[in-house]
C-alpha cells in the first residue's frame, strides 16, 4: 500500500484525466456557435462534431478495460494521454467540419484508455471502503470542476483567439500526466487476464456505430432505408455480442457482474442521469449565447454557480451516505433533479435566470448520485476485475452522455425545424444566425430554439423519474455494506457459459 502522502498525490494525478475528458465534453458548448459560423456544418455534421467523441469513447471503453487488465492500467493511461494530446492538436487546426469530426473521433479513441484506468487505479490505491468512497467523491467533484472549467475556458479563448484554441488546453494536461504519472502511479494488472477476444471487440463497435447512425439519420432525415438497415445491423451485432460473451472462456464483458444488483442497477442509474444532464449541457450554452445574446465568456460564467453546486453535491455524497441509506439518497436526488429540469422546461420563456437555476438544481442532485453509484459498482466487483468493472461503469456513463447528446440533440433539432417558419434558412440555430441578418428570421429562430429547449427539458425530467423509479432496486444499506467483505474468485468460465 502506498504511503498516505503518495496516495494523495496519486489521487491528484488521477483527477487530470477526468479534467481532460470533461473539459473536452463541455468546451464545445462555448465554441459551437463559432464553429458553426466558420465551418458551416449541417445539422447532422454538427451532431457528429459534438458527440462522435463520446460514442467512440463509449464504444471502446470495454475494449480498453480489457487491455488495461492485460497490459497494465498505468501503461494504458499514459499511452492514452499521449494519443489524446496529439488528437487535440489535430482538432485545434481542423480545416473543415469533416476533419473536425475525424479529430474528435481520435480524441474519443484516446479518451477510452483514460477512464477505466483512473477508476481501477483508485480501487487499487484505496482498498478501504471509506477511503475509496472519499476518493471517488473527489473524482466526481473533479468531473463537476471540469464541466465548469470547460465553458469558462472555452468562452475566454473563443473571445480572444479562435475556436480551435479550446482544444489546445488539453495539451499541457497531457504533458503533465506523461511527466508525473510514471513516478506517482503504481502499476496494476489482472494476474490471470486470459486471452483477449478480438472478435468481441469488433462486435462491440459493430453494435454501437450503426445504432448511432440510425438515431441521427432519423432525427435529420426522417425514417430512411439506410437508417433502418443500420439500426437492425447494430441490434443484430449486439445480440451476437451478448451471446458470445456468455460462450467464450475469457469474455471481453463479464456478464456475470450484472447478476449483482449492486452492480447493474447503479450502472443503469448513471447512464440515465448522465443522459439527461449532458444533453442539456450542450443546448443551454447555445440558448444563452444566441437567444439571450450573451458573449461566450458571459454565458459560461452564468453556468459556474450551477457547476459549483454540482461539486458540492459530489463532495457531500460520502458524508450523507454514512447517515442515510444509499437507495434513499439516490432516489431522492434523482427526483430533485427531475424537478430542476421540469422547472427549466416551464421557465425557458421567463429568461436565463430561471433556466440557470433549474440546471443548477439538477446538476447538484445528479453530482450527488454519481459517486454513490460508482462506489457501488467498484465495491461489488472482485479486485481482479477492477478494470473490467470500471470500464463497464464508464461505458454506462459515457454511453449515457453520448446518447443524451444524440437523442436529446436530435429531439431538439427536430423540434427546432418543426417550429421554424417557411423560408427561414439553416438547419441549426447557429446556421440560421450565420445565414441571415433579417430580424424577423432571427426572432423566429430564437423562439423555435427556446421551444425546443423546453421540450428537451421535459424529456430529461421524465428520464430522471424513470431512473428514480428503478433506483428502488438498489441495496438498502450503504455502498460499503453492499460490497463483499473480502475479494472473491472470478466466476469460472463454466459458470459464465
Amino acid at each position: 500500500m502506498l504511503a498516505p502522502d503518495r496516495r494523495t498525490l496519486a489521487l491528484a494525478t488521477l483527477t487530470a484525466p477526468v479534467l481532460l475528458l470533461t473539459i473536452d465534453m463541455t468546451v464545445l458548448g462555448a465554441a459551437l456557435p463559432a464553429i458553426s459560423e466558420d465551418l458551416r456544418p449541417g445539422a447532422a455534421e454538427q451532431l457528429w462534431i459534438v458527440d462522435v467523441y463520446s460514442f467512440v469513447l463509449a464504444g471502446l471503453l470495454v475494449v480498453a478495460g480489457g487491455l488495461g487488465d492485460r497490459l497494465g492500467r498505468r501503461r494504458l493511461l499514459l499511452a492514452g494521454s499521449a494519443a489524446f494530446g496529439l488528437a487535440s492538436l489535430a482538432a485545434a487546426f481542423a480545416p473543415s467540419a469533416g476533419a473536425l469530426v475525424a479529430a474528435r473521433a481520435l480524441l474519443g479513441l484516446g479518451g477510452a484508455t483514460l477512464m477505466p484506468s483512473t477508476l481501477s487505479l483508485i480501487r487499487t490505491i484505496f482498498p478501504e471502503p471509506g477511503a475509496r468512497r472519499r476518493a471517488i467523491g473527489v473524482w466526481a467533484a473533479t468531473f463537476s470542476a471540469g464541466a465548469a472549467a470547460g465553458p469558462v475556458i472555452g468562452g475566454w479563448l473563443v473571445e480572444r483567439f479562435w475556436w480551435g484554441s479550446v482544444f489546445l488546453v488539453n495539451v499541457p494536461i497531457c504533458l503533465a500526466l506523461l511527466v508525473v504519472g510514471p513516478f506517482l502511479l503504481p502499476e496494476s494488472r489482472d494476474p490471470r487476464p486470459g486471452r483477449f477476444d478480438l472478435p468481441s471487440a469488433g462486435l462491440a463497435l459493430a453494435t454501437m456505430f450503426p445504432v448511432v447512425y440510425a438515431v441521427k439519420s432519423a432525427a435529420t432525415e426522417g425514417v430512411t432505408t439506410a437508417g433502418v438497415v443500420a439500426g437492425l445491423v447494430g441490434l443484430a451485432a449486439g445480440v451476437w455480442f451478448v451471446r458470445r460473451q456468455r460462450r467464450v472462456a475469457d469474455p471481453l464483458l463479464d456478464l456475470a457482474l450484472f447478476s449483482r444488483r449492486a452492480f447493474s442497477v447503479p450502472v443503469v442509474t448513471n447512464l440515465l442521469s448522465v443522459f439527461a444532464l449532458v444533453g442539456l449541457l450542450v443546448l443551454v450554452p447555445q440558448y444563452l449565447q444566441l437567444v439571450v445574446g450573451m458573449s461566450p465568456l458571459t454565458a459560461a460564467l452564468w453556468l459556474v454557480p450551477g457547476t459549483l453546486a454540482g461539486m458540492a453535491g459530489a463532495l457531500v455524497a460520502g458524508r450523507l451516505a454514512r447517515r442515510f441509506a444509499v437507495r434513499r439518497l439516490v432516489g431522492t436526488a434523482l427526483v430533485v433533479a427531475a424537478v430542476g429540469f421540469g422547472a427549466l422546461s416551464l421557465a425557458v420563456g421567463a429568461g436565463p435566470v430561471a433556466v440557470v437555476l433549474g440546471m443548477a438544481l439538477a446538476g447538484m442532485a445528479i453530482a450527488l448520485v454519481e459517486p454513490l453509484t460508482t462506489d457501488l459498482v467498484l465495491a461489488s466487483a472482485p479486485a481482479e476485475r477492477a478494470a473490467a468493472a470500471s470500464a463497464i461503469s464508464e461505458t454506462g456513463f459515457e454511453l449515457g452522455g453520448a446518447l443524451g447528446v444524440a437523442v436529446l440533440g436530435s429531439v431538439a433539432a427536430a423540434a427546432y425545424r418543426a417550429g421554424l417558419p417557411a423560408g427561414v434558412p439553416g438547419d441549426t440555430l447557429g446556421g440560421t444566425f450565420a445565414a441571415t441578418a433579417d430580424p424577423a428570421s432571427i426572432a423566429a429562430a430564437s423562439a423555435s430554439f427556446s421551444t425546443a429547449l423546453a421540450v428537451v427539458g421535459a424529456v430529461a425530467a421524465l428520464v430522471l423519474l424513470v431512473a428514480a423509479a428503478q433506483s428502488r432496486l438498489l441495496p438498502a444499506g450503504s455502498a460499503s455494506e453492499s460490497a463483499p467483505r473480502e475479494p472473491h474468485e472470478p466466476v469460472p468460465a463454466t459458470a459464465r457459459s
Side-chain angles (χ1 to χ4, degrees), residues 206-243:
T207 300
M208 180 69 65
F209 293 113
V211 172
V212 173
Y213 174 81
V215 171
K216 290 179 175 296
S217 175
T220 57
E221 303 173 22
V223 179
T224 63
T225 301
V228 171
V229 170
L232 292 175
V233 168
L235 292 175
V239 172
W240 191 1
F241 175 80
V242 171
R243 293 184 64 181

Side-chain angles (χ1 to χ4, degrees), residues 457-480:
V459 173
L462 291 175
V463 169
L464 288 174
L465 290 176
V466 171
Q470 67 91 42
S471 72
R472 292 172 60 86
L473 299 175
L474 287 169
S478 67
S480 59

Side-chain angles (χ1 to χ4, degrees), residues 397-470:
F397 186 86
E398 294 296 338
L399 182 58
L403 286 173
V405 172
V407 176
L408 296 183
S410 298
V411 169
Y416 175 73
R417 288 196 305 274
L420 208 59
V424 177
D427 292 328
T428 65
L429 182 62
T432 300
F433 274 55
T436 181
D438 175 51
S441 295
I442 290 176
S446 298
S448 183
F449 188 85
S450 297
T451 300
L453 180 60
V455 170
V456 170
V459 173
L462 291 175
V463 169
L464 288 174
L465 290 176
V466 171
Q470 67 91 42

Side-chain angles (χ1 to χ4, degrees), residues 39 51 81-82 135-136 170 176 246-247 281-282 327 337 349 360 381 392 475:
L39 301 183
D51 61 17
S81 299
I136 292 174
N170 298 331
R246 295 183 181 277
R247 187 174 64 249
L281 279 175
V282 174
R327 180 171 63 191
I392 295 170

